[in-house]
Amino acid sequence: MKIILLSGGSGKRLWPLSNNSRSKQFLRVLTTPDGGKESMIQRVARQIREAGLTDEIVVATGANQLDAIGIQLGKDTAVVTEPERRDTFPAIALACSYLRSQGTSPDEPVIVMPCDSYTENTYFSTIGLMAKAVSEGVADLVLMGVRPTYPSAKYGYIVPAATPVDGEPTPVSRFTEKPEVAEAERLIAEGALWNGGVFAFRLGYLNEISDRYMPQASFETLRANYGKLPKISFDYEVVEKADSVAVIPYAGDWRDLGTWNTLTDELSDLTHGNVITDACTSTYVINELEIPVVCIGAKDFVVAASPDGILVSERKLSENLKHLVGDLGKRPMYEERRWGQYKVIDMVEFPDGYCALTKQLTINAGCALSYQRHNCRDEVWTIINGEGELVLDGERRTVSRGDVITITRGQMHTLRATTPLTFIEVQQGTNLVEEDIERFPFDW
Amino acid sequence: MKIILLSGGSGKRLWPLSNNSRSKQFLRVLTTPDGGKESMIQRVARQIREAGLTDEIVVATGANQLDAIGIQLGKDTAVVTEPERRDTFPAIALACSYLRSQGTSPDEPVIVMPCDSYTENTYFSTIGLMAKAVSEGVADLVLMGVRPTYPSAKYGYIVPAATPVDGEPTPVSRFTEKPEVAEAERLIAEGALWNGGVFAFRLGYLNEISDRYMPQASFETLRANYGKLPKISFDYEVVEKADSVAVIPYAGDWRDLGTWNTLTDELSDLTHGNVITDACTSTYVINELEIPVVCIGAKDFVVAASPDGILVSERKLSENLKHLVGDLGKRPMYEERRWGQYKVIDMVEFPDGYCALTKQLTINAGCALSYQRHNCRDEVWTIINGEGELVLDGERRTVSRGDVITITRGQMHTLRATTPLTFIEVQQGTNLVEEDIERFPFDW
């Protein structure tokens, strides 16, 4: 079997720890069985591995998550990036096209699942049963049905044709999307299950559906013409149109840690970082800044500080964030990249529109920036730790603490760290956008 | 009459807006009659001026407040700095010695008062009456007695010998320091008043007391031997020992805005800076950082963010701060200086003890840094705005946007701004302390 992990998501609901480049599934805030820290996506990948389901995971995501996935799941993880953001059907179709291009049999069961559900191990044995049901031809499409614990109006409901038994496939009668609470109560009495967003099917089944849009297109062709695929969800395009659908119930823990309120329930420590609390109750304070956070007399709050901003929220009201931070995250102020990490430590715009942006960057030992140039900004780098090799307009030299490198617009440059290398970068110009970068191959 | 304003105070109770260099009385958070902003010390100076009491104010303070007083009260303000921190008696004795050295008559009435009481105009007319009572020889020492509004256990009480009448001097019978509440109730029934910390006396009266420690010492001698004066408060050394003490009651508004809880009562706006609030009640959010603060669902809170740190506190509990921030303020992260201002934007210490500190500095047009050198650190300056004149080891040149200046340890340097000049400074070395600076005269 193959697993397609859907890794999407904006950085809004767990702002300021998440941002446009660091979505919630990449926050290393959960505790591993051995006491370490892991992110939601790392937890799901670990659970898949521990359940012995498969070693073959394909992550379907956007280009801005490529670095984060490589860092968290390993550089060799297969990642299929959408050339542009559309919806779940085209994203899954593209990943399935990739699997076909890799020679996967059309009869191979494929599981599509979210990368951020917080579940227990029986979730993964249920997934194993779903793949088995597909292999045995029980239905074209097998869904996971999560046993409802309350009549939620937030979820989609799967209504089975007969009373469902845990671990066994039952034919599906119909779907109901986000019903009113009273209707949800009636559905649950009928044996309805929540749609957990986990789907199983034969690879060929999905390839055939996408072939209707672009007959027998290769992966490269499909990717090049991605914009021609309809902007539609997998639920609407595939699930609701399928003739033969079965559901297997899952009765265990199933949570979305996508808001501060739900995430903090799973945190093992009340504070993280440079924090002092006094007279606080059920209050979580997470500080990724160097400066201290002092929190006094808060009850049921979450306080989070990062280079992107500062959140102070009553826990239950933290869902409001989604509507509030829409325009805040103009650019990420902290990013983990394949070569290391950076944070923006200062940003200033002068009355004439001229801007300066100062970063602290660390390149991991053995890693290098891309060979690049900027057309609208000059940069000054001051090395404050470590040693490395600089290439500036083709000339190589070693650099270390105290060295100052001035890079004017148009100059080609790259830097490779021999030991962990930290430097302060001052960018300046009239138009400081992240997109002002051209990358070129470089042979070290 | 002369007025000695006592400007002391640590930066703890209004942290993180106040710090070791920016005490609470310098925070420009109050609203002036014409809608502008002023600090507590500016408000008191304005009220003295508007009451027509005197133009001759001497500020008694520590050396670290010299720049702030010059900026806020004007460069020509007389400031007497303690060579070391002792207590109120030596500080007042030094200021009185200064007045004698300036030729002030021993019969001149002197008022000593705090610089951070939040009061109304009748407070200043009461001060006028106190000076008049001293001139008329009513008593050696005339105190202001604030009409108590509740039986506080925090204040000192002045017990008059007869029922006191507002605006009229009454002989003092005795003093009681911070009584229990029940005792305070009895004292108030007896006509006792709070000790407002405002004292009036003939200049010669106090000069005579300090002469007992150092007979007829000049101001310079007294200052040079400041450590020989006893570490004792004015209340213990002068007030409690005086033979002839009178009190004049003041019945108006009298508040100490020294905690976030009391200060926020006087703020005209709930938010300041880059702030978004949602579903908050009676919550004040003051953000001096560039990054946004989002505050959701807080009731009766104060949130304050500055380069020194972040405070989230239930308003009534904000007094706890004093005990919590003791060791936080290792160095100020933001300072207003006579030449402009700076903020620390990054601080990092590497495992081998090597440190780097990055600042954003702005020099006001026409102002200059002192001519200085450092012995333990190198600096790299990147000019990001404005124009100025640099002197590096005696060589002058003009600098502007994009210029990079490297200053190695031991190099003499100064910078004068022709227009407002902003630059990023990266300091590095094994021992980055503020004290690593030697200043020399420079003739521009």
Side-chain angles (χ1 to χ4, degrees):
Chain A
M1 65 183 285
K2 308 286 183 185
I3 290 182
I4 297 172
L5 274 186
L6 298 179
S7 180
S10 79
K12 291 182 183 175
R13 292 197 303 168
L14 292 179
W15 184 93
L17 259 53
S18 61
N19 59 32
N20 285 340
S21 111
R22 189 163 61 145
S23 291
K24 64 176 182 185
Q25 61 265 33
F26 300 115
L27 301 180
R28 284 195 201 82
V29 291
L30 302 175
T31 304
T32 60
D34 61 5
K37 292 290 176 195
E38 67 184 354
S39 68
M40 298 177 200
I41 198 169
Q42 287 177 318
R43 180 180 154 98
V44 166
R46 175 175 62 74
Q47 287 176 309
I48 289 171
R49 203 170 52 241
E50 288 174 0
L53 288 180
T54 181
D55 290 329
E56 302 196 54
I57 294 174
V58 177
V59 184
T61 188
N64 60 341
Q65 295 191 357
L66 204 49
D67 279 9
I69 290 164
I71 294 162
Q72 299 212 339
L73 300 186
K75 275 187 291 190
D76 300 331
T77 307
V79 182
V80 175
T81 57
E82 296 178 275
E84 59 178 281
R85 183 167 269 190
R86 295 191 74 74
D87 207 328
T88 47
F89 166 67
I92 293 167
L94 190 65
C96 288
S97 172
Y98 169 81
L99 287 172
R100 178 165 68 181
S101 77
Q102 298 293 302
T104 307
S105 155
D107 289 326
E108 183 85 15
V110 175
I111 301 287
V112 171
M113 60 186 289
C115 69
D116 54 0
S117 289
Y118 189 84
T119 65
E120 56 192 82
N121 291 337
T122 52
Y123 179 84
F124 296 90
S125 47
T126 306
I127 286 173
L129 295 171
M130 290 166 68
K132 184 162 165 277
V134 163
S135 291
E136 291 170 354
V138 168
D140 289 341
L141 200 62
V142 179
L143 313 184
M144 180 184 285
V146 178
R147 289 274 180 198
T149 50
Y150 68 106
S152 168
K154 285 194 313 186
Y155 297 124
Y157 286 74
I158 302 168
V159 187
T163 305
V165 177
D166 284 354
E168 287 184 21
T170 307
V172 169
S173 154
R174 65 178 200 280
F175 299 96
T176 302
E177 207 37 40
K178 300 183 183 172
E180 304 271 312
V181 170
E183 169 70 358
E185 279 170 357
R186 275 192 298 276
L187 288 167
I188 291 171
E190 241 186 285
L193 303 159
W194 287 337
N195 183 351
V198 185
F199 313 103
F201 47 79
R202 286 171 47 255
L203 175 62
Y205 178 76
L206 207 88
N207 288 153
E208 282 155 31
I209 294 173
S210 62
D211 280 351
R212 289 178 212 151
Y213 294 97
M214 253 174 273
Q216 287 300 324
S218 68
F219 172 63
E220 287 69 28
T221 306
L222 193 66
R223 196 169 187 282
N225 294 281
Y226 191 71
K228 292 179 184 163
L229 288 175
K231 223 170 184 171
I232 190 170
S233 76
F234 187 83
D235 282 280
Y236 286 126
E237 176 63 18
V238 179
V239 181
E240 301 209 349
K241 291 179 183 171
D243 296 323
S244 154
V245 188
V247 62
I248 300 185
Y250 160 65
D253 204 3
W254 180 76
R255 269 176 288 166
D256 171 15
L257 304 187
T259 68
W260 279 114
N261 191 30
T262 53
L263 178 64
T264 45
D265 276 337
E266 296 310 320
L267 299 183
S268 50
D269 301 306
L270 285 167
T271 67
H272 171 84
N274 189 0
V275 172
I276 295 174
T277 60
D278 179 52
C280 291
T281 315
S282 303
T283 291
Y284 293 83
V285 187
I286 301 163
N287 182 15
E288 294 195 338
L289 298 174
E290 298 293 316
I291 58 174
V293 171
V294 174
C295 188
I296 304 171
K299 186 168 182 298
D300 291 316
F301 266 70
V302 58
V303 176
S306 86
D308 282 273
I310 299 160
L311 170 71
V312 176
S313 178
E314 207 274 336
R315 281 175 66 196
K316 288 212 180 93
L317 293 173
S318 61
E319 294 195 31
N320 296 12
L321 250 186
K322 198 178 174 178
H323 311 291
L324 296 173
V325 302
D327 295 328
L328 287 181
K330 280 168 202 152
R331 62 156 296 145
M333 302 290 271
Y334 171 84
E335 279 194 275
E336 277 190 87
R337 302 292 292 274
R338 52 167 188 79
W339 46 259
Q341 59 183 35
Y342 77 82
K343 58 180 172 180
V344 174
I345 55 177
D346 192 50
M347 257 173 109
V348 53
E349 184 175 346
F350 296 101
D352 62 357
Y354 194 83
C355 297
L357 185 146
T358 308
K359 286 180 176 179
Q360 187 218 82
L361 302 93
T362 296
I363 306 179
N364 298 329
C367 293
L369 302 178
S370 58
Y371 195 45
Q372 57 190 249
R373 75 168 171 227
H374 314 291
N375 294 314
C376 301
R377 68 178 187 244
D378 302 321
E379 294 186 351
V380 177
W381 297 354
T382 304
I383 311 290
I384 58 173
N385 195 42
E387 289 175 9
E389 198 175 0
L390 172 79
V391 181
L392 188 59
D393 272 347
E395 278 190 44
R396 290 191 187 214
R397 64 182 170 103
T398 57
V399 293
S400 60
R401 268 179 186 163
D403 284 338
V404 179
I405 301 136
T406 57
I407 301 160
T408 50
R409 54 201 76 187
Q411 277 195 301
M412 300 288 296
H413 58 282
T414 180
L415 181 58
R416 182 168 65 172
T418 316
T419 66
L421 186 72
T422 302
F423 62 104
I424 303 293
E425 170 181 304
V426 181
Q427 304 180 355
Q428 53 183 310
T430 44
N431 188 22
L432 294 186
V433 293
E434 282 186 276
E435 293 71 28
D436 176 21
I437 182 167
E438 286 183 273
R439 296 186 174 88
F440 301 87
F442 189 80
D443 186 9
W444 284 99
Chain B
M1 65 183 285
K2 308 284 183 185
I3 290 183
I4 297 173
L5 273 186
L6 297 179
S7 180
S10 77
K12 290 181 183 175
R13 292 198 302 169
L14 291 179
W15 183 92
L17 259 52
S18 61
N19 59 32
N20 286 340
S21 112
R22 189 164 61 146
S23 290
K24 64 177 181 184
Q25 61 267 32
F26 301 116
L27 301 179
R28 285 194 200 82
V29 289
L30 302 175
T31 304
T32 60
D34 61 4
K37 292 290 177 196
E38 67 184 354
S39 68
M40 297 177 200
I41 198 169
Q42 286 177 317
R43 180 180 153 97
V44 166
R46 175 176 61 75
Q47 287 176 311
I48 290 170
R49 202 171 52 242
E50 288 175 0
L53 289 180
T54 180
D55 290 330
E56 301 195 53
I57 295 175
V58 177
V59 183
T61 187
N64 60 342
Q65 294 190 359
L66 203 50
D67 279 10
I69 290 164
I71 294 162
Q72 298 211 342
L73 301 186
K75 275 186 291 189
D76 300 331
T77 307
V79 183
V80 175
T81 59
E82 296 177 275
E84 58 178 279
R85 182 169 269 189
R86 294 191 76 74
D87 207 327
T88 47
F89 167 67
I92 293 166
L94 189 65
C96 287
S97 172
Y98 168 80
L99 287 172
R100 178 166 64 183
S101 76
Q102 297 293 302
T104 307
S105 155
D107 288 326
E108 182 85 14
V110 175
I111 301 288
V112 171
M113 60 185 290
C115 70
D116 54 0
S117 289
Y118 189 84
T119 64
E120 54 194 82
N121 291 338
T122 52
Y123 179 84
F124 296 89
S125 47
T126 306
I127 286 173
L129 296 171
M130 290 166 67
K132 183 162 165 278
V134 164
S135 291
E136 291 171 355
V138 169
D140 288 341
L141 200 61
V142 178
L143 312 184
M144 179 183 287
V146 178
R147 290 274 180 199
T149 50
Y150 69 105
S152 170
K154 285 193 313 185
Y155 297 124
Y157 286 75
I158 302 168
V159 187
T163 305
V165 177
D166 285 353
E168 287 184 21
T170 307
V172 169
S173 154
R174 65 180 201 278
F175 298 96
T176 302
E177 209 35 41
K178 299 182 183 175
E180 304 273 311
V181 170
E183 169 69 0
E185 279 170 356
R186 276 191 298 275
L187 289 168
I188 292 172
E190 242 186 285
L193 303 159
W194 287 336
N195 183 349
V198 185
F199 313 103
F201 47 79
R202 286 172 45 258
L203 176 62
Y205 179 76
L206 206 89
N207 289 151
E208 283 156 29
I209 294 173
S210 62
D211 281 351
R212 287 178 212 152
Y213 294 97
M214 253 175 275
Q216 288 299 325
S218 69
F219 172 62
E220 288 69 26
T221 305
L222 194 67
R223 198 170 185 281
N225 295 280
Y226 191 69
K228 292 178 184 163
L229 288 176
K231 223 170 182 170
I232 191 170
S233 75
F234 187 84
D235 282 280
Y236 285 125
E237 176 63 19
V238 179
V239 181
E240 301 207 351
K241 293 179 182 170
D243 296 322
S244 153
V245 188
V247 62
I248 301 185
Y250 161 65
D253 205 3
W254 180 77
R255 270 176 289 165
D256 171 15
L257 304 187
T259 68
W260 279 113
N261 191 32
T262 52
L263 178 63
T264 45
D265 275 339
E266 296 309 321
L267 299 183
S268 50
D269 301 307
L270 285 166
T271 67
H272 170 85
N274 189 359
V275 172
I276 295 175
T277 61
D278 179 51
C280 290
T281 316
S282 304
T283 291
Y284 292 82
V285 187
I286 300 163
N287 182 15
E288 293 194 339
L289 298 174
E290 298 293 316
I291 58 175
V293 171
V294 174
C295 189
I296 304 172
K299 185 168 182 297
D300 291 317
F301 267 69
V302 57
V303 176
S306 86
D308 282 273
I310 299 159
L311 171 71
V312 176
S313 178
E314 207 275 336
R315 281 176 64 196
K316 288 211 179 94
L317 292 173
S318 61
E319 295 196 29
N320 296 12
L321 250 186
K322 197 176 174 180
H323 310 292
L324 295 174
V325 302
D327 295 328
L328 287 181
K330 281 166 201 153
R331 62 155 296 145
M333 302 290 271
Y334 172 84
E335 281 193 274
E336 278 189 86
R337 301 293 292 275
R338 52 166 188 79
W339 45 260
Q341 59 182 36
Y342 77 83
K343 59 180 172 182
V344 175
I345 55 177
D346 192 50
M347 258 173 108
V348 54
E349 183 175 346
F350 297 101
D352 62 356
Y354 193 84
C355 297
L357 186 147
T358 308
K359 285 179 176 180
Q360 188 219 82
L361 302 93
T362 296
I363 306 178
N364 298 331
C367 293
L369 302 178
S370 58
Y371 196 45
Q372 57 189 251
R373 74 169 169 225
H374 315 292
N375 294 314
C376 302
R377 69 174 187 247
D378 302 319
E379 294 186 350
V380 176
W381 295 354
T382 304
I383 311 289
I384 57 174
N385 196 42
E387 289 177 9
E389 198 174 2
L390 172 79
V391 181
L392 187 59
D393 273 345
E395 277 189 44
R396 290 191 186 216
R397 63 182 170 101
T398 56
V399 293
S400 60
R401 270 180 184 163
D403 284 338
V404 179
I405 302 137
T406 57
I407 301 160
T408 51
R409 54 201 77 188
Q411 278 195 301
M412 301 287 297
H413 57 282
T414 180
L415 182 58
R416 182 168 66 170
T418 316
T419 66
L421 186 71
T422 301
F423 62 105
I424 304 293
E425 171 180 303
V426 181
Q427 304 181 355
Q428 54 183 311
T430 46
N431 188 21
L432 294 187
V433 293
E434 282 187 276
E435 293 70 28
D436 176 20
I437 182 166
E438 286 183 273
R439 295 186 174 88
F440 301 87
F442 188 81
D443 186 10
W444 284 99

